[in-house]
Amino acid sequence: MKINFDEWNERRNTNCGKWDTMDKKYQKEGMLHLGVADMDFRSPKQIIDAFQDILDKGIFGYTDLSDRFYENIREWMRQKHQAEVAREEIVFCPRINVSSSICVETFTEEMDEVIINTPAYGPLYQAVVKNHRKVVESPLILENGSYKIDFAHLESVVTDKTKMFILCSPHNPVGRVWTREELEEVGAFCKKHDLLLFVDEIHGDIVAEGVTFTTALTLSETVRERLIVATSLTKTFNVPGVIVSYMIVPNEEIRSRIAQTIDRIGMHNPTIFAVAAVEHGYMECEEWYQQMLDYVNENEKFTREFFAEHFPEFEILERQGTYLLWISYEKLGITEEELEKWFLEKANVSVYMGSVFGNQGRGFIRLNIASPRTMLKEAYERMAAVYSELK
């Protein structure tokens, strides 16, 4: 059955973070928001129906994790990513941002160092800062429109105070999907310097056509023994508001220490909808998932063609993963502040400016293309109508 991803779903007046919150922030009527990283697509019918069954019962009591919750995660990882995951390796945590903070707190001391590649997804960076640890930035290298990890720089900044490496894979915001060889080199670096490796794989199910995602869980045992993978189905099936994620932790000692922290802060029961999403999402929504990937890929092609014709000074970098485009505006020769003012005041469109991801992000914007094509077309036409006022 063909899924209608062209449907323009009105999300305002629902306490929506992408629409209502951004409306309040910018105080501009009718603005189109292409920044926040969730989709403007209706979630799969199977998940909606499962939620409706819960609503029909009318009782929203405490909920525990089910056998099916664990088995569906294991089966998805086996089928989609060729990773064998034991049930006991799965550790529930409501959000990956919570997982990263828990792990920083548990395995490092105040003023210990944590390495992260920049530009960086803000909450991963803040997990270090807010726990009073020192962020060690290792900027990614941009070559020929694609980024790579600077391993020489990593070696130059690691010290005896460095305890952890946080990796985003696929990388948000730049869209790189790291190869097995790159991941093994990261793992070897962590082993050499006795670092814990925390990998955020929440975008791992969303890759561009012809690209293969490699989960860190399939790497060598020397990597796995110091590995924490944090992931979720919330990006995959557009259910981020359900608040569900989990860590996969092969090392029993590391897993035990995480469990102790979780127990200490009193985090245990998931929401009743979180369990239902995992029970029905992974094993029942394959058709929706594949059509969503195809639609996002077509949105990328549409965006590239429109930009090439109307905004030649914008350079869209290679997208290997995520439904986000990382776009350079260096050729325009303007400041970020000037560009943002143009977006908000002239085009009536909001995107994420690159400085949201740190100083290494300046000169870029992040654009979410997981919206109906008619919405993207409307946003781009607004931009085209006032593009002469930008140059």
Side-chain angles (χ1 to χ4, degrees):
M1 181 182 71
K2 184 172 177 56
I3 312 296
N4 183 17
F5 291 104
D6 289 319
E7 180 184 6
W8 191 328
N9 299 288
E10 180 55 66
R11 301 178 64 190
R12 287 186 164 99
N13 300 313
T14 63
N15 301 312
C16 175
K18 184 174 184 178
W19 291 88
D20 291 322
T21 302
M22 292 298 105
D23 278 353
K24 291 175 184 176
K25 178 178 180 179
Y26 296 121
Q27 294 292 303
K28 193 94 181 298
E29 185 175 349
M31 182 173 285
L32 294 178
H33 301 296
L34 304 178
V36 175
D38 68 12
M39 305 183 198
D40 287 306
F41 308 140
R42 282 175 63 85
S43 300
K45 184 178 185 300
Q46 294 86 342
I47 294 178
I48 295 172
D49 288 347
F51 292 170
Q52 188 61 54
D53 287 344
I54 294 169
L55 292 172
D56 289 343
K57 287 183 175 62
I59 300 174
F60 308 101
Y62 292 120
T63 302
D64 288 320
L65 302 174
S66 65
D67 291 340
R68 193 174 171 190
F69 177 92
Y70 290 102
E71 288 309 309
N72 282 8
I73 291 170
R74 296 181 65 207
E75 191 60 29
W76 182 266
M77 295 303 296
R78 182 183 299 116
Q79 289 185 15
K80 296 299 180 185
H81 304 301
Q82 294 73 56
E84 294 296 330
V85 175
R87 174 174 171 143
E88 62 270 16
E89 294 175 347
I90 301 170
V91 180
F92 167 78
C93 188
R95 299 191 63 164
I96 288 180
N97 300 344
V98 177
S99 296
S100 59
S101 185
I102 283 173
C103 291
V104 169
E105 179 193 5
T106 302
F107 297 103
T108 65
E109 303 291 338
E110 286 202 13
M111 298 315 298
D112 278 350
E113 298 171 350
V114 179
I115 294 175
I116 190 166
N117 299 121
T118 52
Y121 173 57
L124 293 178
Y125 193 102
Q126 289 300 315
V128 183
V129 174
K130 291 178 180 178
N131 280 290
H132 307 292
R133 277 57 166 170
K134 180 181 178 182
V135 176
V136 177
E137 296 188 17
S138 184
L140 298 171
I141 299 173
L142 178 58
E143 286 186 355
N144 301 318
S146 185
Y147 283 87
K148 66 180 184 179
I149 297 170
D150 189 343
F151 287 99
H153 184 266
L154 287 174
E155 290 289 352
S156 73
V157 296
V158 66
T159 74
D160 58 2
K161 292 287 290 180
T162 312
K163 304 299 180 185
M164 190 173 176
F165 191 138
I166 294 178
L167 182 71
C168 197
S169 176
H171 191 277
N172 177 12
V174 308
R176 263 303 310 275
V177 172
W178 309 116
T179 65
R180 178 174 298 277
E181 290 73 24
E182 287 171 313
L183 292 170
E184 288 285 8
E185 193 166 356
V186 169
F189 170 79
C190 290
K191 179 173 177 59
K192 177 181 177 181
H193 298 286
D194 194 23
L195 309 181
L196 188 73
L197 177 58
F198 181 96
V199 186
D200 175 353
E201 294 188 357
I202 195 170
H203 290 278
D205 295 326
I206 302 171
V207 294
E209 187 176 1
V211 177
T212 299
F213 170 74
T214 299
T215 174
L217 293 162
T218 62
L219 301 179
S220 62
E221 202 57 40
T222 58
V223 178
R224 285 169 49 84
E225 69 184 8
R226 62 187 62 251
L227 176 67
I228 300 167
V229 165
T231 189
S232 173
L233 85 170
T234 55
K235 300 293 185 187
T236 311
F237 299 112
N238 197 32
V239 288
V242 172
I243 314 298
V244 57
S245 77
Y246 49 89
M247 290 175 271
I248 301 175
V249 189
N251 184 297
E252 183 178 1
E253 180 181 352
I254 294 173
R255 196 164 63 243
S256 176
R257 290 184 63 186
I258 291 172
Q260 289 172 22
T261 300
I262 289 174
D263 181 65
R264 177 176 58 78
I265 64 178
M267 185 183 71
H268 45 91
N269 294 93
T271 73
I272 195 170
F273 296 103
V275 175
V278 174
E279 286 185 335
H280 295 272
Y282 279 140
M283 294 298 106
E284 299 175 20
C285 302
E286 178 71 17
E287 186 175 35
W288 187 97
Y289 168 66
Q290 292 297 337
Q291 290 189 39
M292 178 275 293
L293 292 180
D294 292 341
Y295 193 89
V296 169
N297 287 336
E298 287 301 314
N299 274 357
E300 179 183 1
K301 293 176 184 176
F302 170 74
T303 301
R304 288 184 179 276
E305 289 170 1
F306 197 104
F307 274 50
E309 180 178 354
H310 298 280
F311 318 124
E313 287 82 8
F314 282 103
E315 179 188 359
I316 303 176
L317 276 62
E318 179 184 17
R319 179 187 77 96
Q320 295 183 342
T322 79
Y323 44 71
L324 310 164
L325 295 180
W326 190 237
I327 303 173
S328 170
Y329 58 87
E330 181 181 5
K331 292 178 181 177
L332 285 168
I334 62 175
T335 67
E336 180 176 278
E337 292 71 22
E338 289 170 328
L339 181 60
E340 183 173 33
K341 184 176 181 180
W342 174 81
F343 267 113
L344 300 179
E345 297 183 7
K346 300 294 185 180
N348 206 19
V349 173
S350 76
V351 299
Y352 271 10
M353 308 309 293
S355 63
V356 169
F357 308 97
N359 285 330
Q360 292 295 322
R362 284 194 173 270
F364 299 86
I365 60 171
R366 195 191 75 176
L367 177 69
N368 181 353
I369 57 170
S371 295
R373 203 158 302 138
T374 52
M375 184 184 296
L376 297 181
K377 185 173 185 290
E378 170 67 21
Y380 303 161
E381 287 178 346
R382 290 184 185 186
M383 293 161 58
V386 293
Y387 193 53
S388 62
E389 300 181 42
L390 180 61
K391 296 187 292 181

